[in-house]
Amino acid sequence: ISGCPPKFIIAGLAAGSDALRPVSCAIDTAAGTTSTVFSGIAIGANVVMEGLEVLQQEVSQQASIQTKITDVEIELNALAREFETLSRREPILRAEMLQKAQAVQQSQEKFRNSLAEGQRTLESLVSFRKQTASTIQEFRYEDMGFRIFRTDALQKYRASFDLASRYAYLAAAAYDYDTNLLGTDVQAGQSFLRDIVRQRNLGQVISGEPVPGSRGLTDPLGRMQQ
């Protein structure tokens, strides 16, 4: 606007001036003003668009936040219901836990008793083995001694029996010589000799006298004496 007044005025024959300058200035001013207005409108529109975009972003963020809040509320409600269910089950589970704890304790006591019984059984087995081994060893030595002494006793008995059989045979031979009976006679010495040879034990002797009828050498000797 400060450039709108005319710059010069020429008077006289060569009169002239830039009298149209204000018009041009007005046009320029109007154009500038219009341009400024439109620029302002564009800027305002941009601001509005940016505001709308920001608002849209805020709305989107608000919707996302609301969605997340809703999801969290649903999850919290589900957790609350689950917690309520677990809270109702807690006494039952605690009772079951106590029962299982008692069962475990009983099993431990049973295991300890079984272990103690097994240890006692092992100790009894070890003691029984030691005692049995000692007894068997004692029996073995006794059996060995018995066999040794029995063999010796049997040898002595056999020798004594053979000597007794010999004397009984000699007695029967003397009886047969003194009586001089026929072999067909019941009281002949030949029958006594056969009986003496067949005998395998001494027979029964009472008060130093042979008993007839007993199984052994005393039978033929007693019958001969009779």
Side-chain angles (χ1 to χ4, degrees):
I1 293 172
S2 62
C4 288
K7 299 294 184 180
F8 61 91
I9 296 174
I10 301 173
L13 295 176
S17 66
D18 55 353
L20 296 178
R21 184 172 181 79
V23 177
S24 175
C25 183
I27 294 172
D28 292 337
T29 301
T33 301
T34 302
S35 176
T36 302
V37 170
F38 280 112
S39 297
I41 292 172
I43 293 172
N46 291 330
V47 171
V48 171
M49 292 298 295
E50 291 179 357
L52 290 176
E53 290 179 357
V54 172
L55 181 60
Q56 184 179 3
Q57 292 179 358
E58 289 181 356
V59 170
S60 298
Q61 291 178 357
Q62 186 68 27
S64 176
I65 292 172
Q66 187 64 36
T67 303
K68 291 182 179 180
I69 291 174
T70 303
D71 294 338
V72 171
E73 288 178 352
I74 294 173
E75 186 177 359
L76 288 176
N77 291 330
L79 291 175
R81 287 192 298 270
E82 183 178 0
F83 177 77
E84 185 179 359
T85 303
L86 293 176
S87 298
R88 287 196 298 268
R89 292 183 56 191
E90 188 271 338
I92 301 174
L93 295 176
R94 182 169 53 189
E96 292 179 357
M97 183 182 66
L98 292 176
Q99 292 178 356
K100 292 181 179 180
Q102 291 177 358
V104 170
Q105 186 176 2
Q106 292 176 358
S107 299
Q108 289 178 351
E109 293 296 332
K110 186 177 180 180
F111 170 75
R112 293 192 186 96
N113 294 331
S114 300
L115 181 61
E117 184 178 359
Q119 291 177 350
R120 289 193 299 270
T121 303
L122 289 176
E123 292 176 358
S124 301
L125 180 61
V126 172
S127 177
F128 174 75
R129 286 180 176 178
K130 290 181 180 179
Q131 184 177 0
T132 304
S134 177
T135 304
I136 292 175
Q137 186 176 7
E138 183 179 358
F139 286 165
R140 184 181 294 115
Y141 284 110
E142 289 180 357
D143 181 69
M144 183 178 65
F146 171 74
R147 291 175 181 274
I148 293 173
F149 292 116
R150 184 189 64 177
T151 302
D152 183 65
L154 289 175
Q155 290 176 354
K156 291 180 180 180
Y157 176 79
R158 176 57 58 184
S160 300
F161 181 78
D162 291 341
L163 182 61
S165 298
R166 185 180 301 173
Y167 280 111
Y169 190 86
L170 291 176
Y175 171 82
D176 184 47
Y177 180 80
D178 288 339
T179 58
N180 195 21
L181 298 174
L182 296 175
T184 56
D185 194 342
V186 178
Q187 297 181 353
Q190 293 297 325
S191 62
F192 294 122
L193 291 173
R194 288 192 298 270
D195 290 340
I196 291 172
V197 173
R198 287 196 297 265
Q199 300 300 327
R200 290 296 178 266
N201 55 9
L202 294 177
Q204 188 176 6
V205 179
I206 297 176
S207 299
E209 298 294 331
V211 177
S214 61
R215 297 177 62 86
L217 293 176
T218 56
D219 177 48
L221 289 176
R223 287 190 286 113
M224 285 190 294
Q225 185 177 1
Q226 288 177 354

